[in-house]
Amino acid sequence: MKATITKIKIGNLSVKYAIPLVAEALGMDDDDSKVKSLAETIHKKTEGNPFFMLMFLRSLYDEKLLQYNFGVMKWTWDDDAVNSKIVTENVASVLVNKMSRLQEDTQRMLMVASCLGSNFRKSAVVEVMKNISRSEMRSSMRIVQGTAATMGGSSLLSSDLTNSSADQNGSDSTYASSIEEFEGEGLCEVDDDEYHFMHDQIQSAAFELISPDQRDSFQGRIGSILLRSLPPEELEASLFEVVGLLNCAASNITDEERDELARMNLRAGIKASENAAFDTAKVYFKAGREALGSRGWEGDYSTVLHLCSDGANACFVTGDIDTMNELIDEVLIKDIDTKEKYRVSEIKVKSLLTVGKVNEAINAALDFRRQLGLPTPQKKASSKFTIIREYIRVKKLLKDKTAEGIANLPELDDELYEMGQRMNEHLATSVYLVEPTMLPLVIFQSVTTSLKHGLSPTSSPAFARL
């Protein structure tokens, strides 16, 4: 089934179409010379972006430069005042100034919402608002009043979610009023508990309300609150957003918090990998390793092992071979159980096969089997006598066994043999290119393991090749 995809590029409006837009917004005739003059002025500054044009109109109204005259029953304005305003202000400043005139609680909610992304849940915003003090919020606002203490020294991943009674936040009615205000101002759209900013410039302007030197710590604080307060199912749904927020403040946390941050990045990276978002997964795995730093292997080595192993796999899939090899080597040189090196060893074999380095891939697979202590054929030509001898031995094992009996064998539950079988599967697809006489021995070995220790996903190909 073929599908035709048509891409439509929507550019800015020309002056010709900007005039009707302004005229319709004002309920006036687009032939009116004053409307044309206003539209042309707005178009010149906004370059015809419809959203920006409407924002300018709204800002004119907010600042009473555009007023409705009930005497003549139409909108009126002073062209000189409008020209002066538009020439001296850009779109970003208009939005920021617009937001700065909102209620303080509304500004605070916008600050929080801007950190949660273009789409956010009201419940998440309210949860943060309930657990972050007014003084913290004020110290993080771009224009700070008074001498409120900064948040730089606050503990992020283990912070207390309660506030002092003297610094408590608003009630549910206050939150509802604030949400109603920025919804009424046309800053966001609502769908039950789901909200989204009307335009990415609105989100950017809301983020600008946060003081630049406080943004990282502010986002980390929000991530910490969500991590501690969201129910498990909601946390899972917002995992990427929460981990992203926590990563913003990674430079200002304790070693214990770094361990937890690494585990959260591992969790996010695995989830991204499961959704085939391997480029995104690489970012999380890297952030997790950076959170642990050089102390990773001496501390939470299980986490750093998985960060390296899963990170190597993400690099392999995305073609980042240099980083993949660095991660593989980092694991292989460690003095840890051989079975814990399996993941990177298999990735190494697969990557070598992918780039056509068959000899090196075979050597890596054989070497890993030897490290596991499993019987391993030598990489050399096998004599007919050896092949026939092994064939007879396998035939004896198969004596009196029917296809149904083999199918009903128990599953392989020994991790060591499972790893060996996987390596044999890679060998079976490659040794015939280098030394064809090795292939029968690899197959016989896989069949023997299946008969003695149980069936695995690699058993069917082995029996089929027999």
Side-chain angles (χ1 to χ4, degrees), residues 397-415:
L397 291 174
L398 288 169
K399 186 179 180 181
D400 300 327
K401 284 186 170 57
T402 64
E404 184 178 357
I406 294 174
N408 290 326
L409 288 172
E411 291 186 4
L412 178 61
D413 60 1
D414 189 312
E415 187 179 29

Side-chain angles (χ1 to χ4, degrees), residues 345 348-349 352 359-369 423:
S345 296
K348 180 177 182 178
V349 171
L352 290 170
N359 266 308
E360 293 181 39
I362 293 172
N363 289 336
L366 293 173
D367 183 57
F368 186 73
R369 279 188 60 91
M423 285 300 174

Side-chain angles (χ1 to χ4, degrees), residues 272-314:
S273 296
E274 290 173 347
N275 287 283
F278 292 102
D279 282 314
T280 301
K282 281 167 54 180
V283 173
Y284 290 119
F285 293 137
K286 181 180 179 181
R289 296 193 303 273
E290 290 176 346
L292 290 174
S294 58
R295 49 178 284 277
W297 289 103
E298 288 71 37
D300 189 1
Y301 104 91
S302 177
T303 297
V304 74
L305 172 64
H306 284 92
L307 285 168
C308 289
S309 300
D310 287 289
N313 184 65

